[in-house]
Amino acid sequence: MKIDGSVAIITGGASGMGKALAEKLVSQGGKVLIADRDTTKGPAVADDLNERFGAGKAIFHETDLTKWKTLEAAFEKTKTEFGKINIVVNNAGIVETSSWINDNDPREDMCDYLVLNVDLTAVAKGSRLAIQYFANNRDVGEGVVISTSSLYGLFNSGIVPLYAAAKAGVVSLVKSHAMQKEFTNTRHVAICPWFVDTPLLEEHFRGALAYNKVELIQPERVVEAFVMAIENDDLNGAILKVFPDQTSVQEEVLSTEDLTLAKHVRVMEQFILKRQDEARLNETKP
Ligand SMILES: NC(=O)c1ccc[n+]([C@@H]2O[C@H](COP(=O)([O-])OP(=O)(O)OC[C@H]3O[C@@H](n4cnc5c(N)ncnc54)[C@H](O)[C@@H]3O)[C@@H](O)[C@H]2O)c1
């Protein structure tokens, strides 16, 4: 997909990697809707982009990913203001909000963990809204959904286990949705960045990284991976690993003996998907 002329929704576009991506897309002829809860930084990013690259290139929409109606409204606003959607980037994220020692989460009353809600559940919701749009609007071409996972989507973590579970869940969602492409008209790509120099990293954590000589990468490296995910139409179900030494496409993690079984299950699932699609098409017949 070409960036020039494209329209993207970027969650978490008010800061860090999302902000850097918004700037890259607009600088290359794209338009962006910044969906973020930050009502100070978000509008400032949109204003700055419109000033530097021409009016009407960027819009801010106040979006709280724990309130799905606001995300649905962000999709509607993109359609109304820009006429279409081509790219959905599920990028907003937060770090662990409670621990096993202090299990006192802000979403306690909802029987919910905030980090799972923002980093995984909202990615699921954003992906579904995107798929529904791309499946039903084939005239705009194939859509792409890019979801930001993490090195912790691939590695387990003793310090942020819920964050790691959420990010591994994001990889799983991306790979699972990728299998539906024939029916959804949508590619899915996961980005797994190393530790990145953004406001997400708190001072004490930066100190621990520096003390242990764990290097940070710059947001621009991650933006390059986002661009690869957009421009390379062959990437579907891919995990782009953005690590200090290089960016690479991670192969599927399965042992050789599981591979035959997994392929068998996939054939069965494609059978069910085909049947579901036929039923859907029959239902929509006049
Ligand atoms: N910084 C890192 O080291 C690192 C490494 C790997 C992956 N990641 C992931 O990259 C993504 C981007 O993070 P970043 O480092 O740019 O962080 P950041 O803190 O700079 O930006 C995150 C943005 O998400 C927004 N956000 C948070 N909760 C929200 C909510 N409920 N509704 C709407 N917006 C919300 C914030 O307002 C902020 O603008 C996240 O998913 C993060 O988990 C970060």
Side-chain angles (χ1 to χ4, degrees):
M1 183 188 298
K2 281 202 318 221
I3 291 173
D4 191 13
S6 68
V7 173
I9 296 175
I10 307 176
T11 72
S15 174
M17 295 176 226
K19 177 182 168 188
L21 174 63
E23 174 166 350
K24 181 73 172 185
L25 297 188
V26 171
S27 74
Q28 294 198 355
K31 292 180 180 170
V32 296
L33 180 131
I34 292 161
D36 204 292
R37 68 175 171 182
D38 192 323
T39 53
T40 307
K41 284 188 191 169
V45 170
D47 288 349
D48 175 56
L49 293 177
N50 288 327
E51 249 171 52
R52 285 162 57 211
F53 298 101
K57 297 283 162 54
I59 307 172
F60 169 72
H61 181 77
E62 184 178 353
T63 310
D64 179 348
L65 293 165
T66 67
K67 300 187 177 85
W68 289 358
K69 289 280 170 228
T70 66
L71 184 60
E72 285 166 8
F75 274 71
E76 288 309 313
K77 190 165 186 171
T78 310
K79 285 186 257 172
T80 315
E81 299 285 325
F82 292 143
K84 62 168 184 170
I85 307 168
N86 304 106
I87 303 160
V88 173
V89 188
N90 295 310
N91 166 75
I94 55 170
V95 289
E96 204 102 348
T97 41
S98 61
S99 75
W100 62 272
I101 305 169
N102 168 21
D103 189 24
N104 182 19
D105 202 87
R107 296 275 293 194
E108 185 88 4
D109 289 345
M110 319 283 287
C111 304
D112 201 359
Y113 289 118
L114 184 60
V115 66
L116 293 182
N117 213 293
V118 175
D119 292 12
L120 178 58
T121 312
V123 174
K125 186 64 182 173
S127 301
R128 286 184 175 202
L129 289 172
I131 290 168
Q132 282 157 17
Y133 175 78
F134 295 132
N136 294 322
N137 293 275
R138 286 174 190 254
D139 52 312
V140 300
E142 191 174 87
V144 60
V145 177
I146 309 170
S147 300
T148 309
S149 175
S150 162
L151 71 148
Y152 284 127
L154 306 170
F155 300 173
N156 300 321
S157 171
I159 53 168
V160 284
L162 291 185
Y163 182 83
K167 294 300 186 180
V170 169
V171 170
S172 175
L173 271 179
V174 164
K175 288 198 145 302
S176 298
H177 279 311
M179 296 162 77
Q180 306 165 330
K181 179 171 167 278
E182 185 187 340
F183 311 100
T184 60
N185 187 38
T186 311
R187 292 192 291 118
H188 296 264
V189 181
I191 309 283
C192 290
W194 189 252
F195 300 106
V196 192
D197 188 7
T198 72
L200 188 86
L201 297 188
E202 290 157 3
E203 275 316 308
H204 67 93
F205 190 62
R206 283 172 184 265
L209 291 175
Y211 183 80
N212 290 283
K213 300 192 169 41
V214 177
E215 71 176 278
L216 293 181
I217 62 171
Q218 292 305 309
E220 290 68 32
R221 284 277 319 280
V222 188
V223 169
E224 283 168 19
F226 280 124
V227 168
M228 197 190 297
I230 294 167
E231 290 184 337
N232 185 342
D233 294 328
D234 292 332
L235 291 178
N236 181 39
I239 302 168
L240 298 187
K241 219 167 71 167
V242 191
F243 276 23
D245 50 343
Q246 62 166 347
T247 296
S248 55
V249 179
Q250 170 92 359
E251 292 301 327
E252 197 154 5
V253 195
L254 272 180
S255 69
T256 328
E257 65 263 28
D258 288 344
L259 219 52
T260 316
L261 278 174
K263 277 186 185 156
H264 196 171
V265 172
R266 278 185 194 180
V267 170
M268 178 273 294
E269 291 199 341
Q270 287 300 315
F271 169 81
I272 295 174
L273 283 168
K274 269 204 172 76
R275 232 170 36 182
Q276 285 175 343
D277 200 53
E278 278 161 15
R280 183 181 70 87
L281 290 174
N282 274 338
E283 263 174 33
T284 52
K285 264 189 193 151

